[in-house]
């Protein structure tokens, strides 16, 4: 293994968790029925892999120039979430896929944003950030929420219009969301980039790795994440029961926190360094990327990989939560200024949701 | 026919479509069962009539001084939509009336606004507009959406309170909306007119016609629109089936685009000329006028003209679309600045709605 | 009775209504079945008591220094509403308790705010106010509405998860709301007080009373309010029927107007004196206090005082009204500027709600 990767591992204690990757594989071979243990091992293995993946993506982005780099960050930034969801998709666990999509959107919009504003505000009396970036991401999120609201609202009504309708509509919406996401990148990375100056992901990293190492890590770690995800997806439901957690709570909260652990670290440390642009960009940017890129790509891929096409119809409760999360982020980032209490509000909304999901009897979701 | 009207017709190719007015009448006499043909002919006839009506209204307004002119624009600006809806009202087609009201609000708020911002933004890097005007119209629209939400929400609930309640409530709401609209005009045209300076309709026109010609055109064309509307309303439902379109799609999208074609032209050309105040004023002003003036007037007139009183209870899907459209416009016009991507967002929301209505099986709406 | 209290009574004609306090008690003894009369007498008695209570709270607050004073105002500012609700709670009238909570929130957010902006705007062409204060209160209200939305939305769904779930969730939400309210006070009264400068309640009063008198009045009048509330709660339902009003209308509109009469006076006179900070602070501050302090305290106290635990599950119509009211206040106070028409909009929303509740058949709510 080349030098910079080893140095990185020595420097960052989070990466010491990499030792759990082989342990998880060994565990699956030796005790395939120990779901709770396998769940814990796979969580401990995914977290450092996600951190490596995030660092490798940023390194490739930094080496390839601004436009291609921005594009890479914008498409591979949530590779961990995508790989986990793809594994669940292949296993036909559509409920888990959808819960993890909705959960990742809500967690980024409320928890990562709120905790960043709170942690930053506890150190700095008042903080400022670039409103243009926050507005663009909030606008994209708003559009995605509308797109998810429509099929769910119609499917919920008494007069259910049947599966064929939901399927066709979901396909159309997926294409529309990806087109909008692409236009949004064209806007922020190309035609009007001067308005979005300092808010980019790529600045987060330290000295980037050489391109070869970065690309190699990207490929290798993606394969490892896919393999560990199989252990994770195979054990999560039964482990949840063992912990007394509802499947909704696991899909929404646990999967989202596991998949996004690496990015959260960057967002929080950015906020402490008074670089709120970075934190807000990670929080809202990740949420927008999952809503307008990961989710529609999963719908399209379900025609190839899944046992049946996946629709964009969500559990109504999840749609309400995404709507509320988007509205909260829109209202909070409106002024471009923040203090600690501004972070408390989205965290409390997140707590309300987490509490509800935790208490909800399993058959309801 | 006097000179300026002929000159106008020679200058504006859109008005050459006027030839379809007699053709549509002839068609109805000769082939009363050819619904698809009659539908197309009536659409082609209404578009130039709407353009003439709009120009005549503006000419009268320009001649009568600012306050009366503003009043005229604010009440007759959507005369085409009003006449079409009145024809459908007289025929007892309340579902079509309501779909065309909701469709006109959504189309103006999302499509006309979005396309104006996009077309303007493709020519100008960043555009500015008067926030005060946009805010007033968005506020009026917000109020109207609440007024339409309440009877629909209560009628939707399991515990339906009966027709008498909905009837009485609709009557009260209609009066309330008209009063608010009148107060809004008093505010923007009289007591606080300095804040709404350049956003007025009346500036759109070229050299106005003489008053006599304008009044004559206004009267004559209104009668023609009413007659062509009868052909349109009589053929639209069966033509929709022939085209494979759902009635909801026709009422929402087709009728709204036909009725508003003339105004859209002014809004788009205003945006290209970097006069966004004009475009935003037309888009949101028309929507507010339909919601707070045309719709309640139709409720009141249904007691005189219709076979039974019409309520303000809408299909829940239509209420959701109006709510989303209002919220979108409120959030987008908040800053008073625009670039091309700001126009993409409402257009995409409009596409989501249009796609859903197009795919929706007929019995659901 | 000491001098300042007598002087106050002589100066303020509203306090002459204090004569109805003994009359109401006498009425209850002599004619316990005359519900309509007892209702009217108790209303006339509560209004001046609420005014005294408000004045005494402000006097104590003024004497105890800024932080403690702010705390007192923030917790005792809606003592009248709390005592009325506690009386209804003890009587097991949970529907009335919840209607009065929701009604007080909606009435403060729409009626008190709207009437203040309108009355102020009729005297002053354009008025300005402190946006930071309005934003904080609107943010708190938004959070509370989300907290009330969740249990009601889930209880409404087809798949009702049972009483135990609602009970546990309500308890958790109550604790969460109180914690957020306390953090909000810490933020606005302590860590970031410089942003909320002039908006505080305490400035409303004239020369404050001596501390002993103020504390005595506070204690004595609270007991009187509790006693009169018993007459009020015991007669309100049957009186409503006699007046042809629905219970929902009484709970929402009448109780809220009676309980908040004193504060409304201060809000309106502040607006006339171009001190909109005061008016907006009273309107939104009272609503936030009821939502984040009074309502959760009532849930907690229901375990001690009520016949059964009270949940935070509201009638869905009430939740919609609170959501709309919060959204209206958020959008309107966004700019920090106001003119008369800005007050018309929330008043009209309030009228829509009042009209709907008045017309709604009793069995529906």
């Amino acid at each position: 293994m080349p030098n910079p990767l080893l140095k990185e591992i020595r420097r960052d204690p989070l990466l010491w968790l990499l030792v759990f990757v082989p342990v998880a594989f060994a565990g699956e071979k030796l005790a395939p029925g120990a779901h709770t243990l396998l769940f814990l091992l796979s969580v401990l293995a995914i977290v450092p892999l996600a951190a490596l993946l995030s660092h490798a993506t940023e390194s490739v982005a930094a080496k390839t120039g601004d436009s291609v780099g921005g594009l890479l960050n914008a498409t591979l930034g949530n590779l961990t979430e995508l790989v986990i969801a793809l594994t669940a998709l292949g296993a036909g666990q559509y409920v888990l896929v959808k819960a993890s999509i909705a959960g990742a959107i809500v967690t980024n919009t409320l928890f990562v944003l709120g905790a960043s504003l709170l942690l930053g505000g506890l150190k700095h009396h008042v903080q400022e950030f670039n409103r243009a970036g926050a507005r663009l991401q909030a606008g994209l999120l708003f559009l995605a929420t509308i797109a998810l609201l429509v099929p769910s609202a119609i499917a919920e009504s008494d007069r259910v219009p049947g599966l064929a309708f939901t399927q066709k509509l979901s396909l159309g919406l997926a294409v529309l969301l990806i087109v909008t996401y692409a236009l949004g990148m064209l806007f922020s990375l190309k035609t009007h980039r001067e308005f979005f100056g300092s808010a980019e992901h790529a600045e987060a990293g330290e000295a980037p790795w050489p391109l070869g190492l970065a690309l190699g890590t990207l490929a290798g770690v993606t394969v490892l994440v896919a393999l560990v995800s199989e252990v994770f997806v195979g054990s999560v439901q039964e482990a949840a029961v063992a912990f007394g957690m509802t499947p909704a709570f696991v899909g929404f909260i646990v999967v989202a926190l596991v998949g996004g652990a690496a990015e959260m670290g960057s967002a929080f440390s950015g906020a402490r360094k008074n670089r709120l642009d970075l934190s807000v960009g990670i929080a809202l940017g990740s949420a927008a990327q999952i809503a307008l890129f990961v989710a529609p790509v999963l719908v399209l891929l379900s025609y190839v990989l899944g046992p049946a096409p996946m629709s964009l119809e969500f559990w109504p409760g999840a749609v309400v939560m995404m709507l509320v999360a988007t509205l909260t982020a829109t209202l909070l980032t409106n002024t471009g200024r923040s203090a600690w209490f501004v972070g408390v509000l989205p965290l409390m909304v997140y707590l309300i949701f987490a509490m509800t999901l935790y208490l909800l009897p399993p058959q309801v979701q």
Side-chain angles (χ1 to χ4, degrees), chain A:
Chain A
M1 223 182 265
N3 205 22
L5 185 50
L6 278 179
K7 225 169 70 188
E8 180 78 20
I9 291 176
R10 217 174 306 131
R11 204 184 50 78
D12 186 353
L14 187 70
L15 296 182
W16 300 354
L17 293 174
L18 282 171
V19 74
F20 284 104
V21 177
V23 173
F25 292 141
E28 205 200 8
K29 283 277 162 288
L30 299 174
H35 293 298
T36 311
L37 179 74
L38 289 176
F39 168 76
L40 288 176
L41 290 176
S42 59
V43 165
L44 289 170
I46 287 177
V47 168
L49 289 174
L52 268 188
L53 214 51
S54 163
H55 198 83
T57 308
E58 278 167 18
S59 291
V60 178
K63 289 278 170 189
T64 48
D66 272 358
S67 299
V68 182
L71 197 70
L72 269 171
N73 255 323
T75 47
L76 299 187
N78 287 291
L79 199 51
T80 317
E81 282 86 346
L82 183 60
V83 172
I84 296 180
L86 276 176
T87 312
L89 192 75
Q93 293 210 26
Y94 288 0
V95 172
L96 182 63
V97 176
K98 288 181 183 177
S100 75
I101 292 172
I105 295 173
V106 170
T107 299
N108 276 296
T109 315
L110 295 175
F111 176 73
V112 181
L113 180 67
S116 297
L117 298 182
L118 176 59
L119 289 172
L122 290 177
K123 192 156 176 197
H124 308 276
H125 194 63
V126 174
Q127 294 183 293
E128 313 241 332
F129 56 91
N130 181 1
R131 279 198 286 184
R135 249 193 210 126
L136 175 69
Q137 309 291 7
L140 289 173
L141 264 178
F142 181 75
L143 180 74
T145 326
I146 303 305
L148 300 182
L149 171 70
V150 168
S152 311
I154 287 172
E156 238 342 68
S157 80
D158 306 342
R159 300 157 287 188
V160 181
L163 195 65
F165 163 74
T166 311
Q167 219 70 270
K168 261 189 281 180
L169 183 60
S170 297
L171 204 58
L173 292 174
V175 173
L176 219 124
L177 287 177
I178 293 176
V179 169
T180 309
Y181 190 61
L183 290 174
M185 286 197 292
L186 180 68
F187 182 67
S188 62
L189 299 175
K190 199 99 193 168
T191 72
H192 286 65
R193 55 187 305 178
E194 72 273 20
F195 290 100
F196 304 94
S198 66
E200 282 316 307
H201 264 197
E203 305 178 23
E206 297 76 27
W209 298 343
L211 190 58
L213 171 66
L215 283 174
T217 309
L218 202 57
V221 172
T222 302
V223 172
L224 283 178
V225 170
L227 292 172
V228 178
S229 292
E230 262 177 48
V231 184
F232 179 76
V233 168
S235 62
V236 66
Q237 300 286 10
E238 304 197 30
V241 176
F243 282 115
M245 292 187 286
T246 60
F249 183 79
V250 171
F252 247 75
I253 309 293
V254 177
V255 176
L257 292 177
V258 169
E263 286 179 308
M264 285 173 207
S266 314
F268 298 160
S269 89
R272 300 293 289 176
K273 292 178 197 146
N274 207 8
R275 293 172 62 196
L276 264 196
D277 278 348
L278 185 68
S279 314
V280 173
I282 291 175
L284 299 188
S286 289
Q289 185 176 39
I290 288 163
L292 286 97
F293 186 76
V294 173
V297 160
L298 287 170
V299 168
L300 298 182
L301 287 180
S302 74
Y303 283 82
V304 186
L305 300 178
M310 189 179 86
S311 76
L312 279 175
E313 181 193 332
F314 279 74
W315 172 54
V319 176
V320 170
M321 289 185 193
M322 287 188 276
L323 258 180
V324 168
T326 304
L327 208 56
T328 308
T330 306
L331 294 176
L332 286 185
T333 57
N334 202 14
T335 59
R337 293 210 305 172
S338 175
W340 67 267
F341 191 71
V342 179
V344 169
L345 286 174
L347 282 178
M348 286 294 176
V349 176
Y350 191 67
L351 265 181
I352 292 176
F353 292 167
M355 192 190 282
T356 308
L357 289 169
Y358 191 82
L359 292 173
L360 209 58
Q363 75 281 8
V364 175
Q365 301 119 23

